[in-house]
Amino acid sequence: MKAVVTGAAGFIGSTLTDRLLAEGHEVVAVDNFDDYYSGKMRFLRRHLENERFRLLEIDVLDLDALRRSFEGADVVFHMAAQAGVRISVRDPLKAHHANTTGTLHVLLAARDAGVRRVINSSSSSVYGNAVRLPAREEDPTVPISPYAASKLAAEHYCRLFHSLYGLESVSLRYFTVYGPRQRPDMAIRIFTDRALDGKRPQIYGDGEQTRDFTFITDVVDAIMRCADCPDLKGAPLNICSGSTVSVNQVVHAILKTVGREDLTPEHLPPQPGDVNHTWGDNTKARELLEWEPRVGIEEGLARFIEWYRTVGRA
């Protein structure tokens, strides 16, 4: 398989690239190396001498460059995005350009280059404060942040390109992905970093908000299975652990793992755009992809903290 991975230097994109190359596929890695956070190149550097790997510095807003990079590709794994609810509240236009217009460009380029399938990265944030938990794909979508709105708009474009042009696609609604390589602005990394420095963890709100944390290797496994699944019709799929845990519980587990249970969390005002609870029903993904999450929160936190101690802070 010849695959294009947009956002290939990022958290999910680089982990997916590792997996694709390990399984013998050809990978065209596309990334604009946006300055939202630095150091991403180190995740791809070891592949630069691999004859099955090609790295292109391209922005998904450059439609002509995307068309050229997609030539001959079987599947496009679209990971490129302006991630983060809070930055989208500060800069809604950037989220819209990167996530909505960027996805439209990916779909146009894929259609024009004859790509068979686009696997789009969406988010559980499209549910907003879900009307029921666990959230199911057919439940109402009521975004409460520009980031969520941009991701939902991108989903609609994927459905349209399937129905109008026959471009196979699926939108994967990720629920709080975590693990090695996660971004510096993600909560688990921030909590861990402060604990290792002997600083009190800072929690927005009372900490009783809950999240469906999903480990990176489980997410990449689901993404990989989408490449060959025969019955994808542009619809969304929840990619989640199917369980939920409070932020307070996560912080306590981190403090226990790093041996700093003496640090008392500091509670700060809630942040605009943050939802109260996320919890997904992954029944459709289990059935359609023959997939199941395997890494529980305790094991996942231990694996992340070990990576962060030995590699992540280097």
Side-chain angles (χ1 to χ4, degrees):
M1 176 176 67
K2 180 178 180 179
V4 176
V5 180
T6 71
F11 171 32
I12 301 176
S14 66
T15 310
L16 173 64
T17 296
D18 288 353
R19 172 81 178 267
L20 286 163
L21 290 170
E23 295 190 5
H25 301 292
E26 180 182 351
V27 176
V28 177
V30 170
D31 206 290
N32 70 347
F33 294 97
D34 182 84
D35 62 5
Y36 179 49
Y37 67 99
S38 61
K40 292 187 290 184
M41 184 60 199
R42 65 175 174 155
F43 301 143
L44 298 180
R45 189 170 288 115
R46 68 191 185 95
H47 299 308
L48 293 177
E49 302 302 318
N50 188 329
E51 63 182 12
R52 290 182 287 103
F53 177 78
R54 184 159 61 110
L55 176 62
L56 301 175
E57 188 170 348
I58 292 173
D59 195 304
V60 291
L61 297 180
D62 187 340
L63 180 55
D64 289 337
L66 278 184
R67 286 191 176 108
R68 293 191 295 270
S69 70
F70 287 6
E71 290 177 1
D74 302 299
V75 178
V76 172
F77 296 93
H78 179 37
M79 307 290 134
Q82 175 53 65
V85 166
R86 292 165 192 166
I87 191 174
S88 79
V89 173
R90 297 193 300 271
D91 191 352
L93 197 56
K94 185 176 184 182
H96 174 82
H97 285 325
N99 301 342
T100 306
T101 305
T103 301
L104 177 57
H105 282 186
V106 165
L107 294 166
L108 286 166
R111 181 200 64 181
D112 296 347
V115 172
R116 174 174 59 86
R117 177 170 294 180
V118 172
I119 297 164
N120 177 50
S121 297
S122 189
S123 167
S124 64
S125 65
V126 301
Y127 294 112
N129 285 310
V131 297
R132 66 174 170 181
L133 294 171
R136 300 173 185 170
E137 290 86 349
E138 63 271 18
D139 286 349
T141 48
V142 188
I144 64 171
S145 70
Y147 170 75
S150 69
K151 284 295 191 179
L152 184 58
E155 284 191 14
H156 288 312
Y157 274 121
C158 288
R159 272 191 288 263
L160 282 171
F161 270 67
H162 177 266
S163 61
L164 289 175
Y165 308 114
L167 177 61
E168 297 177 13
S169 68
V170 63
S171 290
L172 302 182
R173 291 175 176 171
Y174 307 134
F175 282 66
T176 318
V177 186
Y178 74 105
R181 303 184 185 179
Q182 70 180 82
R183 301 190 318 269
D185 65 329
M186 297 180 75
I188 285 176
R189 181 161 171 173
I190 294 171
F191 295 147
T192 301
D193 195 52
R194 291 184 65 86
L196 290 173
D197 284 341
K199 298 177 181 177
R200 297 170 63 193
Q202 294 178 321
I203 299 173
Y204 292 105
D206 63 9
E208 288 306 300
Q209 57 269 44
T210 57
R211 296 289 180 265
D212 188 327
F213 290 99
T214 318
F215 196 68
I216 181 64
T217 55
D218 287 331
V219 170
V220 167
D221 186 46
I223 296 169
M224 290 289 295
R225 289 169 182 265
C226 287
D228 297 315
C229 179
D231 193 28
L232 298 178
K233 299 178 180 178
L237 280 179
N238 289 339
I239 303 301
C240 54
S241 70
S243 59
T244 188
V245 63
S246 75
V247 174
N248 285 330
Q249 289 173 308
V250 167
V251 170
H252 176 74
I254 291 171
L255 293 175
K256 183 178 181 180
T257 301
V258 303
R260 290 308 308 261
E261 291 178 273
D262 58 305
L263 296 173
T264 304
E266 176 185 2
H267 290 271
L268 303 176
Q271 292 289 291
D274 283 356
V275 300
N276 295 322
H277 305 285
T278 68
W279 180 15
D281 184 323
N282 58 23
T283 301
K284 285 189 176 181
R286 286 175 178 269
E287 294 175 350
L288 189 62
L289 304 178
E290 297 182 348
W291 166 84
E292 62 176 326
R294 299 182 181 277
V295 181
I297 186 66
E298 291 187 2
E299 178 187 349
L301 286 174
R303 287 166 64 172
F304 167 73
I305 291 168
E306 176 62 22
W307 171 84
Y308 194 58
R309 277 174 156 162
T310 58
V311 178
R313 301 185 108 195

